[in-house]
Amino acid sequence: MSHSIVTSNYDNAVKAIKAAILKSQYKAAKLVNQEQLILYFAIGRYISLHSRDGFWGTGAIDIISEKLQNELPGLRGFSARNLKNMRTFYEEWSFLESNPAVLTAELSSDERQDIPIRQLQLPNWKDFPVEAFFQIGFTHHCLILTKVKSLEERLFYIRLAAANYLRVERLKRDMENDVYHHQGALPNNFTQTLSSGELAKRAILAFKDEYLLDFINVEELGARDIEDVDERVLENTIIQNVKNFIMAFGHDFSFIGNQYRIEVLGHVHIIDLLFFNRELASLVAVELKTGPFKPIYLGQLNVYLQALDDFVRKPHENPSIGLVLCKSADKAYVEYAVRDYNKPMGVASYRTADEMPERLKKALPDIEDLRKQLSQSAETK
């Protein structure tokens, strides 16, 4: 047997074993997280029942936390603050137990004498994301419960965090950007132009009506007004921050290129930004506009989509989708303007770093003062 074949066999073995290890670790991590959430829910119930009725008295949780640390040295996650978070976790989801569909693992009476904390098994409701609920961490849950009040919105962010494996910082950012209310609000013609109703629904949910491009600072680009910024400058800034741009766009987007050239019957068409969305199995063409929406943009984009479908799209892919990304847009007017086009298109607006709330602007140094300070610092070195 040749050396190359032996090496190949070894590589295949390593690959197979590695895949098995990673899969096992992932399953173990999921089980650990599930057990932790079940435990925290149970402890939260116990604390709620004893602290809310005044049975324990003032400062009880602080004392209990301190005693736990003494009883179990090195114990983490049971600070007074976290115990209160467990109480909130239980109280906000306590309705799950009151539903007849919930199966609760009751301990026997003898066991309860020693461990008066019973544990919960979440219901297998049709609309309740049980798997996603257990998949995200306790810190994610605490953030969602703190920032969001309605059940529908909470379930949305649980699904979002689980599906996209969001870190806490990213989840917080999505909530601050109010992704829930912007998701699916994009003015478009998807239902008329995409043959499959399911594909149209997924396309609508794949885009938002407004994006926060907070990595773009118009002041640093040297412009007083956003309309003064050349579209190519805006495009180059996005290219330099393409990872952030895709994160703002959502999951399943892959960047293909900018200034993407397509030649059609001797005429060259250039698309500002071209992406591929794996969920939709579609090319996504993005046209950048630094001013407000104009109907003429749709005609230009419609031709680009025709060219993509005829000369770039692969046989197994769905029709290409277009997005005009501009500074502002009247939704009702866009829906009126786009309805008779035969290619799937939508129009979204964006905000940049210079449009942050006034209270945050005041907390930051003026850009010119900051440049002077940096210059003076460099000179003294």
Side-chain angles (χ1 to χ4, degrees):
M1 186 179 294
S2 69
H3 176 74
S4 61
I5 295 177
V6 171
T7 302
S8 177
N9 289 338
Y10 290 167
D11 290 342
N12 290 336
V14 170
K15 184 177 180 180
I17 294 172
K18 179 181 176 182
I21 292 172
L22 292 176
K23 183 177 180 180
S24 177
Q25 288 178 337
Y26 176 69
K27 288 174 66 177
K30 286 178 64 177
L31 289 173
V32 168
N33 190 65
Q34 178 173 324
E35 286 300 315
Q36 184 185 65
L37 291 178
I38 289 174
L39 174 64
Y40 285 0
F41 185 93
I43 293 174
R45 181 203 299 111
Y46 183 76
I47 294 174
S48 178
L49 295 177
H50 287 80
S51 63
R52 294 302 190 191
D53 60 8
F55 177 74
W56 276 354
T58 305
I61 294 178
D62 295 88
I63 296 172
I64 291 171
S65 174
E66 184 178 348
K67 287 182 175 292
L68 277 173
Q69 305 294 332
N70 293 333
E71 293 280 342
L72 298 170
L75 182 68
R76 299 180 62 183
F78 290 87
S79 64
R81 179 181 178 182
N82 227 28
L83 290 176
K84 291 175 182 177
N85 286 338
M86 293 176 202
R87 179 175 63 184
T88 300
F89 182 57
Y90 162 72
E91 290 175 348
E92 292 297 324
W93 293 109
S94 60
F95 69 89
L96 295 173
E97 288 196 307
S98 64
N99 190 288
V102 177
L103 297 175
T104 304
E106 294 282 3
L107 299 172
S108 69
S109 57
D110 291 338
E111 288 175 321
R112 280 204 303 269
Q113 291 176 4
D114 297 325
I115 310 176
I117 298 178
R118 55 190 173 86
Q119 295 189 344
L120 169 78
Q121 292 181 348
L122 289 184
N124 188 22
W125 293 349
K126 178 181 178 182
D127 298 323
F128 192 88
V130 177
E131 185 175 351
F133 187 94
F134 282 131
Q135 187 173 331
I136 67 173
F138 184 62
T139 306
H140 291 75
H141 278 289
C142 291
L143 181 63
I144 291 171
L145 294 176
T146 302
K147 300 291 185 181
V148 178
K149 298 305 177 186
S150 76
L151 175 61
E152 184 179 355
E153 193 169 348
R154 284 176 175 176
L155 296 182
F156 169 83
Y157 283 114
I158 287 173
R159 290 188 178 98
L160 182 71
N164 298 297
Y165 306 98
L166 297 185
R167 294 181 179 273
V168 173
E169 296 78 10
R170 174 62 193 277
L171 176 61
K172 183 178 180 181
R173 178 182 174 184
D174 282 348
M175 288 193 288
E176 289 173 347
N177 293 341
D178 198 13
V179 169
Y180 173 74
H181 289 101
H182 287 299
Q183 199 85 6
L186 176 82
N188 63 84
N189 64 353
F190 295 158
T191 54
Q192 299 100 305
T193 56
L194 294 171
S195 57
S196 164
E198 177 59 30
L199 178 60
K201 180 181 178 181
R202 283 189 280 129
I204 290 171
L205 294 176
F207 300 96
K208 295 177 283 188
D209 64 332
E210 183 182 70
Y211 295 93
L212 175 61
L213 307 184
D214 55 0
F215 54 85
I216 296 176
N217 190 321
V218 176
E219 283 190 56
E220 291 181 350
L221 297 178
R224 292 179 176 273
D225 192 293
I226 183 64
E227 293 188 26
D228 293 334
V229 181
D230 182 82
E231 287 167 7
R232 288 297 300 275
V233 177
L234 183 65
E235 177 189 323
N236 289 336
T237 307
I238 288 176
I239 297 305
Q240 292 168 12
N241 296 272
V242 69
K243 181 179 179 181
N244 292 329
F245 186 73
I246 290 176
M247 288 177 65
F249 242 41
H251 69 289
D252 278 336
F253 282 92
S254 299
F255 179 60
I256 295 178
N258 67 303
Q259 294 296 297
Y260 192 88
R261 297 169 63 88
I262 308 175
E263 186 172 343
V264 180
L265 302 176
H267 295 267
V268 175
H269 298 283
I270 299 178
I271 300 172
D272 288 344
L273 301 170
L274 186 62
F275 295 86
F276 184 80
N277 184 279
R278 295 175 59 206
E279 171 71 17
L280 303 175
S282 297
L283 292 164
V284 178
V286 178
E287 280 299 290
L288 298 171
K289 304 298 176 184
T290 55
F293 167 75
K294 296 177 183 178
I296 192 174
Y297 300 153
L298 297 175
Q300 179 187 37
L301 186 57
N302 197 70
V303 175
Y304 291 170
L305 295 176
Q306 181 70 57
L308 284 172
D309 284 344
D310 290 345
F311 298 100
V312 181
R313 179 168 68 106
K314 297 184 182 299
H316 66 277
E317 294 175 355
N318 290 315
S320 303
I321 296 173
L323 180 71
V324 176
L325 191 58
C326 52
K327 189 63 189 71
S328 61
D330 182 317
K331 290 185 182 180
Y333 183 51
V334 170
E335 289 175 349
Y336 173 79
V338 78
R339 65 184 184 182
D340 287 334
Y341 282 94
N342 65 349
K343 293 296 181 183
M345 294 183 289
V347 177
S349 58
Y350 62 88
R351 290 181 290 128
T352 55
D354 68 315
E355 298 168 277
M356 67 178 67
E358 192 62 33
R359 61 183 178 80
L360 292 180
K361 283 185 181 180
K362 291 179 179 179
L364 296 174
D366 178 76
I367 189 68
E368 287 303 323
D369 289 343
L370 187 59
R371 283 172 179 159
K372 289 178 182 178
Q373 291 176 20
L374 290 173
S375 177
Q376 291 172 357
S377 175
E379 290 175 357
T380 55
K381 288 183 178 180

